[in-house]
Amino acid sequence: MPFLSESLDRIKPSPTVAVTQLAAELKAQGRDVIGLGAGEPDFDTPENIKDAAIAAIHAGKTKYTAPDGIIELKQAICDKFARENGLVYTPDQVSVSTGGKQVLFNALLATLNPGEEVIIPAPYWVSYPDIVRLGGGDPIVVEGERQMGYKITPEALEAAITPKTKWFIFNSPSNPTGAGYTEQELKALTDVLMRHPHVWVMSDDMYEHLAYDGFTFVTPAQVEPGLYDRTLTVNGVSKAYAMTGWRIGYAAGPKHLIAAMRKLQGQSTTNPSSISQWAAVEALNGPQDFLAERAEAFLRRRNLVVAGLNACPGITCATPEGAFYVYPSIADCMGTVSAQGREIKTDEDFCTALLEEEGVAVVFGAAFGLSPNFRVSYATSDAALTEACVRIKRFCEGLKHVD
Ligand code: GLU
């Protein structure tokens, strides 16, 4: 009998986590590596948030809390949804977990039965299909349109829905493309969903505050109130407040779904860190003005990277609306050999050779379900990004087509 479970066999290690680890290990060995793999802001957590955590420690707020979050944080989350998204939730409709990943785990594992389908637009965040598989469901991938910044059409969504569809996972601005759906584009999708009342909507809004050029963020339950009773609106403090290590994600939705998620969490991790929860209260209730300042820096970096990548032979890079990712196409680099003689047949070959030969760590497109591309996380310094673009250009200039 095999030692490992069949459900573990259905998944692979997270490629985003793996690239981030690899870059860190190479740096520790003294290699000159520029890490553009991790989806994590380089900014520090704001001081007022750190102070709130320190105060919580000194006040002895270091014990177990309610399994899915303290009431103060749930209320702060309700206030955030009302203030920023026009969505009315009560604290018993809110669940707080150890990062957005656990929120998705809870919701999918609590609801999926074998053979049920989850529609996932591609390119997708690497963990969506594997969490679905762990839950015994089947990911149904709908490819985005290249000329639409990899967004999906309402026709493609309609065609993917079957009687077995349980969830539609929506993510805007997107990891890995940065593409954001306008209100009109999202309404076209929610119109489709209104025709299929058995389909639930999971909206991953983690990159809400990372939007540029006047792009207005919208979320499904806001655009189509008719979906409110079957939508889980997911968010977290990691990306907006530079709090990736604190591990706080949250969601709001129908009470019976939230209760099911609480039951599951009560049998796994119980509450997320009490100290992190108090820090998240301050993040959501405290000053928000630095968000716009940081978005300015990200906008500058996005423009720097898009221009730098488009200057590389064989790379085509669109200008996305948000997040801190770009997802250039490298179709014209396939069927080449690198300066050091590596064959480039896939985007994984490209990324491996780029790391080996130029010390630039990015994540290959196949990990996100749409190739040949790669993901750049530009949440790092302008100087590192400028140098990375120089290296990527040199690498592309060294590629020779083979017949
Ligand atoms: N969400 C981030 C990323 O895509 C963090 C790593 C992960 O959990 O995937 O890079």
Side-chain angles (χ1 to χ4, degrees):
M1 201 185 282
F3 174 62
L4 297 176
S5 71
E6 281 175 20
S7 55
L8 195 75
D9 259 355
R10 290 200 289 267
I11 66 167
K12 54 190 179 325
S14 163
T16 47
V17 174
V19 169
T20 308
Q21 278 297 113
L22 178 62
E25 277 163 29
L26 291 174
K27 272 189 208 167
Q29 289 165 17
R31 288 267 311 269
D32 169 21
V33 170
I34 303 176
L36 307 181
E40 144 169 283
D42 58 324
F43 296 118
D44 200 5
T45 304
E47 288 304 316
N48 62 310
I49 299 175
K50 291 187 193 172
D51 289 345
I54 293 164
I57 293 173
H58 288 306
K61 292 172 175 167
T62 53
K63 310 285 193 212
Y64 290 131
T65 73
D68 62 353
I70 54 176
I71 185 68
E72 290 84 350
L73 180 52
K74 289 186 177 187
Q75 188 57 56
I77 291 165
C78 292
D79 295 346
K80 173 258 177 287
F81 279 125
R83 182 177 71 234
E84 296 180 345
N85 312 109
L87 288 172
V88 177
Y89 290 110
T90 49
D92 54 358
Q93 290 181 281
V94 172
S95 188
V96 185
S97 296
T98 303
K101 221 175 218 170
Q102 192 184 21
V103 174
L104 302 174
F105 249 84
N106 287 345
L108 290 167
L109 267 70
T111 57
L112 286 175
N113 290 302
E116 289 184 332
E117 298 174 349
V118 178
I119 298 175
I120 304 175
Y124 45 69
W125 178 45
V126 295
S127 293
Y128 296 147
D130 278 355
I131 299 174
V132 169
R133 288 188 189 100
L134 267 184
D138 295 326
I140 303 297
V141 172
V142 175
E143 278 204 10
E145 300 291 324
R146 208 168 281 267
Q147 63 281 10
M148 284 172 55
Y150 301 105
K151 291 181 248 188
I152 63 162
T153 61
E155 294 76 23
L157 174 60
E158 179 82 59
I161 295 174
T162 75
K164 290 195 251 170
T165 308
K166 187 69 162 267
W167 287 97
F168 167 56
I169 300 184
F170 178 73
N171 174 222
S172 165
S174 152
N175 177 2
T177 64
Y181 286 73
T182 63
E183 180 167 2
Q184 200 184 4
E185 287 166 341
L186 179 52
K187 185 74 173 63
L189 298 183
T190 59
D191 284 350
V192 172
L193 295 163
M194 285 303 287
R195 292 197 287 276
H196 300 277
H198 67 292
V199 180
W200 281 65
V201 184
M202 190 174 295
S203 185
D204 178 350
D205 298 351
M206 200 56 84
Y207 296 92
E208 168 178 9
H209 287 293
L210 299 154
Y212 318 116
D213 300 328
F215 174 78
T216 303
F217 168 85
V218 279
T219 190
Q222 168 191 28
V223 166
E224 178 47 82
L227 289 173
Y228 179 85
D229 288 333
R230 52 184 167 111
T231 297
L232 185 71
T233 305
V234 182
N235 213 316
V237 295
S238 293
K239 314 289 180 176
Y241 300 94
M243 293 176 70
T244 46
W246 300 76
R247 311 309 301 132
I248 295 291
Y250 59 82
K255 283 181 201 168
H256 65 104
L257 172 60
I258 296 297
M261 292 163 65
R262 182 188 314 127
K263 181 176 168 185
L264 188 59
Q265 190 160 301
Q267 290 287 27
S268 56
T269 57
T270 316
N271 62 277
S273 153
S274 57
I275 298 150
S276 296
Q277 289 188 65
W278 284 105
V281 170
E282 174 62 20
L284 294 176
N285 288 347
Q288 305 291 309
D289 41 325
F290 71 94
L291 292 174
E293 283 162 32
R294 290 185 175 186
E296 277 293 306
F298 282 129
L299 169 68
R300 192 182 63 242
R301 294 165 176 188
R302 180 203 66 178
N303 292 342
L304 189 162
V305 167
V306 168
L309 291 172
N310 280 321
C312 301
I315 296 187
T316 313
C317 186
T319 304
E321 292 83 6
F324 38 60
Y325 305 115
V326 290
Y327 197 65
S329 165
I330 45 171
D332 293 341
C333 299
M334 296 300 100
T336 58
V337 172
S338 70
Q340 292 182 17
R342 291 181 174 83
E343 283 194 4
I344 312 293
K345 291 184 178 156
T346 64
D347 51 28
E348 189 165 6
D349 293 339
F350 180 97
C351 296
T352 304
L354 181 63
L355 180 58
E356 288 295 331
E357 298 179 22
E358 291 289 354
V360 178
V362 293
V363 188
F364 61 99
F368 305 95
L370 198 144
S371 290
N373 290 63
F374 64 92
R375 185 188 81 173
V376 169
S377 169
Y378 57 80
T380 191
S381 70
D382 295 30
L385 292 171
T386 303
E387 172 61 16
C389 288
V390 168
R391 295 185 189 188
I392 296 171
K393 184 157 185 260
R394 189 165 57 215
F395 178 77
C396 289
E397 284 167 351
L399 297 177
K400 297 272 176 300
H401 277 275
V402 284
D403 299 316

